[in-house]
């Protein structure tokens, strides 16, 4: 059985060098490591010029394989006979890349996000289709209204074409249920606990206590809570790691002397950075569509760092088996952080929780629940 994966961020050589950051790449790696499939192929759509560059410099190995395809004619001509010719040429070059008999009904076609699904549909592969939205990608306020109609169309098409629609957000699956679909599968995010073992804390240029955040600096964050914490605790240093996404909030908060925007971290440095935190915080706002299964929470726990989170959705206590310190507002979060710094609260043992919620376990459950049945 072969798994064709659409929607990874990078080719295998770059992933192995730069590390695995997001759900899509961790799933690709975990599928590949699982041993459940004869081959796991990272399918990459690319430009016409880059296609031939990749063809001439392929770095395929026994364990890591990329398959490239492209359009050989301008997009405006991809209709009727020209479209069929484009498809035939791609099939030829798939064979040139060493993938014989790739079009099989037993193939698992795993599509991450709408772009991954659309690319899979372009290749018209036979097989069992699965579509992973990750989180709620239809009600997210970052989705421009002009694009929502197209996004809706793709999501509905994926629901009709795929054996299962997968998400880590209950609100996304509820959206599908409300549109008449029952073929949904709840797959939460996970962690690779082994990456956090025997790791030393990163040396920081600022004295403790250090309150840390790792993640995208996006509109999802309640910046009023962060501002409150910063102003109430001028002797604490707040280390904020991540890139900005559709906002310039760091320009304002960065003027405060105890707020340090450090930019994005390389994946290999995430464990040591978190281990340097006195506490890790999560500041997502409470919105019906913002019930994301935040990977940072797993990472904080894996590093053995106390985790303080706003109660941004109602399932956090159950989902994380009581491992998080939850706050309803800024004042409560401030009090919890003071108790951690004063030694009144300590992080529970997380080993059993992490093993049950590893990426390895997520793929195992998906295989046993869906693929093998």
């Amino acid at each position: 059985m072969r798994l064709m994966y659409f929607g990874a961020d990078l080719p295998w050589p770059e992933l192995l060098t730069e590390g695995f950051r997001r759900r899509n790449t961790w799933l690709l790696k975990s599928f590949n490591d699982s041993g459940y499939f004869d081959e796991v192929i990272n399918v990459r759509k690319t430009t016409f010029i880059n296609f031939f560059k990749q063809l001439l410099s392929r770095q395929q190995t026994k364990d890591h394989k990329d398959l490239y395809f492209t359009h050989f004619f301008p997009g405006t001509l991809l209709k009727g006979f020209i479209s069929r010719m484009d498809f035939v040429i791609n099939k030829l070059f798939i064979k040139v890349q060493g993938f014989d008999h790739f079009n099989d009904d037993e193939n698992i076609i795993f599509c991450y996000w709408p772009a991954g699904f659309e690319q899979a549909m372009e290749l018209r592969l036979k097989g069992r289709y699965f579509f992973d939205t990750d989180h709620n990608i239809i009600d997210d306020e970052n989705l421009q209204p002009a694009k929502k109609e197209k996004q809706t169309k793709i999501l509905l098409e994926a629901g009709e074409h795929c054996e299962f629609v997968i998400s880590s957000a209950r609100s996304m699956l509820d959206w599908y249920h409300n549109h008449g679909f029952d073929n949904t599968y709840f797959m939460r995010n996970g962690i690779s606990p082994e990456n956090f073992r025997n790791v030393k804390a990163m040396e920081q240029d600022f004295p403790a206590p250090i309150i840390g955040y790792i993640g995208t600096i996006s509109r999802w964050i309640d910046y009023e809570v962060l501002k409150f914490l910063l102003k109430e605790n001028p002797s604490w240093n707040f280390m904020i790691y991540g890139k900005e996404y559709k906002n310039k909030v760091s320009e304002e908060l960065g003027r405060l002397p105890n707020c340090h925007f450090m930019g994005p971290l390389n994946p290999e440095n995430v464990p040591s950075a978190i281990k340097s935190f006195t506490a890790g915080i999560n500041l997502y706002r409470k919105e019906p569509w913002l019930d994301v299964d935040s990977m940072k929470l797993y990472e904080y726990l894996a590093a053995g760092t106390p985790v303080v989170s706003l109660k941004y959705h109602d399932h956090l206590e159950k989902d994380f088996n009581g491992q998080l310190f939850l706050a309803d507002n800024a004042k409560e979060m401030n009090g919890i952080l003071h108790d951690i710094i004063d030694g009144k609260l300590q992080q529970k043992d997380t080993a059993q929780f992490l093993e049950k919620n590893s990426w390895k376990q997520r793929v195992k459950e998906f295989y046993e629940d869906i693929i093998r049945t």
Side-chain angles (χ1 to χ4, degrees):
M1 185 190 308
R2 177 183 279 137
L3 187 142
M4 315 282 283
Y5 194 98
F6 291 80
D9 296 323
L10 296 167
W12 270 113
E14 293 179 48
L15 286 172
L16 295 172
T17 300
E18 298 189 19
F20 300 86
R21 296 177 182 272
R22 301 197 302 139
R23 171 185 174 96
N24 56 338
T25 56
W26 275 113
L27 281 174
L28 172 63
K29 182 180 188 302
S30 301
F31 282 134
N32 191 70
D33 294 346
S34 69
Y36 298 138
F37 308 98
D38 299 323
E39 284 185 309
V40 174
I41 300 170
N42 182 20
V43 186
R44 311 282 304 157
K45 183 180 180 181
T46 188
T47 63
F48 180 81
I49 294 175
N50 191 55
F51 175 81
F52 287 99
K53 286 182 179 178
Q54 295 294 339
L55 208 62
L56 293 172
S57 61
R58 283 188 300 154
Q59 301 179 47
Q60 307 286 45
T61 69
K62 179 181 178 182
D63 298 321
H64 305 105
K65 297 181 179 180
D66 295 305
L67 185 156
Y68 287 91
F69 75 102
T70 190
H71 287 312
F72 296 90
F73 302 93
T76 54
L77 299 178
L78 288 174
K79 299 176 183 178
F81 175 75
I82 298 297
S83 178
R84 290 193 294 273
M85 283 293 296
D86 192 70
F87 174 68
V88 169
I89 296 172
N90 265 307
K91 285 183 67 176
L92 174 64
F93 274 101
I94 287 172
K95 289 187 177 182
V96 169
Q97 292 175 73
F99 297 101
D100 290 322
H101 310 295
F102 77 98
N103 208 3
D104 192 296
D105 288 332
E106 292 187 1
N107 283 345
I108 303 301
I109 314 298
F110 196 94
C111 312
Y112 178 84
W113 271 29
F117 173 71
E118 289 184 300
Q119 290 173 15
M121 294 300 287
E122 285 184 54
L123 279 184
R124 310 177 202 175
L125 296 174
K126 296 177 183 178
R128 301 171 62 186
Y129 278 72
F130 299 90
F131 174 55
D132 182 14
T133 71
D134 191 333
H135 55 272
N136 188 328
I137 57 173
I138 193 62
D139 297 318
D140 184 349
E141 65 185 22
N142 287 310
L143 180 63
Q144 298 174 8
K147 294 182 179 180
K148 189 165 184 175
E149 183 177 352
K150 180 183 178 182
Q151 188 92 316
T152 300
K153 183 179 179 181
I154 297 171
L155 293 180
L156 293 175
E157 183 182 354
E160 292 173 357
H161 190 82
C162 294
E163 193 170 324
F164 280 92
V165 171
I166 301 162
S167 184
S168 67
R170 294 172 176 88
S171 64
M172 185 75 258
L173 300 183
D174 287 342
W175 183 90
Y176 270 100
H177 296 157
N178 293 335
H179 284 78
F181 294 93
D182 294 323
N183 56 327
T184 59
Y185 184 78
F186 183 47
M187 183 195 288
R188 293 179 59 199
N189 284 324
I191 188 70
S192 289
E194 60 273 13
N195 292 346
F196 291 78
R197 294 175 188 142
N198 303 315
V199 174
K200 293 183 179 179
M202 179 184 291
E203 292 186 9
Q204 298 285 7
D205 295 330
F206 305 96
I210 291 176
I211 310 303
Y213 174 90
I214 289 184
T216 305
I217 316 301
S218 73
R219 297 175 184 173
W220 292 1
I221 295 174
D222 190 329
Y223 292 102
E224 292 304 312
V225 173
L226 178 57
K227 189 184 299 184
F228 177 87
L229 295 173
L230 286 162
K231 291 186 175 181
E232 286 289 310
N233 304 286
S235 65
W236 299 358
N237 283 293
F238 288 75
M239 312 297 290
I240 314 296
Y241 292 94
K243 64 180 180 180
E244 290 184 354
Y245 182 71
K246 295 187 177 182
N247 70 80
K248 296 292 183 182
V249 70
S250 65
E251 293 180 4
E252 176 188 359
L253 296 182
R255 298 189 188 102
L256 297 174
N258 59 336
C259 186
H260 313 287
F261 285 90
M262 308 300 291
L265 275 170
N266 290 328
E268 63 182 8
N269 294 327
V270 167
S272 61
I274 297 176
K275 281 182 178 288
S276 73
F277 299 166
T278 309
I281 56 173
N282 183 55
L283 299 168
Y284 287 161
R285 296 155 36 212
K286 189 167 186 177
E287 303 285 352
W289 52 269
L290 193 47
D291 57 336
V292 293
D293 193 40
S294 176
M295 285 176 58
K296 71 175 66 64
L297 299 179
Y298 295 95
E299 292 172 339
Y300 293 160
L301 291 173
T305 299
V307 187
V308 188
S309 176
L310 289 175
K311 199 181 296 181
Y312 66 96
H313 71 75
D314 295 333
H315 301 279
L316 282 172
E317 179 75 22
K318 179 181 176 182
D319 285 352
F320 285 89
N321 198 28
Q323 300 282 355
L324 310 178
F325 298 110
L326 298 174
D328 285 314
N329 52 52
K331 189 175 180 180
E332 279 191 16
M333 179 171 269
N334 190 50
I336 293 170
L337 287 168
H338 272 275
D339 284 346
I340 290 170
I341 290 168
D342 293 341
K344 297 176 182 178
L345 290 175
Q346 293 183 342
Q347 185 61 53
K348 301 175 185 176
D349 182 16
T350 61
Q352 189 175 11
F353 171 83
L354 294 170
E355 289 301 326
K356 287 183 177 180
N357 291 274
S358 66
W359 286 117
K360 179 181 179 180
Q361 187 65 20
R362 295 286 186 250
V363 166
K364 180 177 184 289
E365 291 169 358
F366 173 69
Y367 180 79
E368 292 179 349
D369 292 346
I370 304 297
I371 303 300
R372 197 170 64 179
T373 57

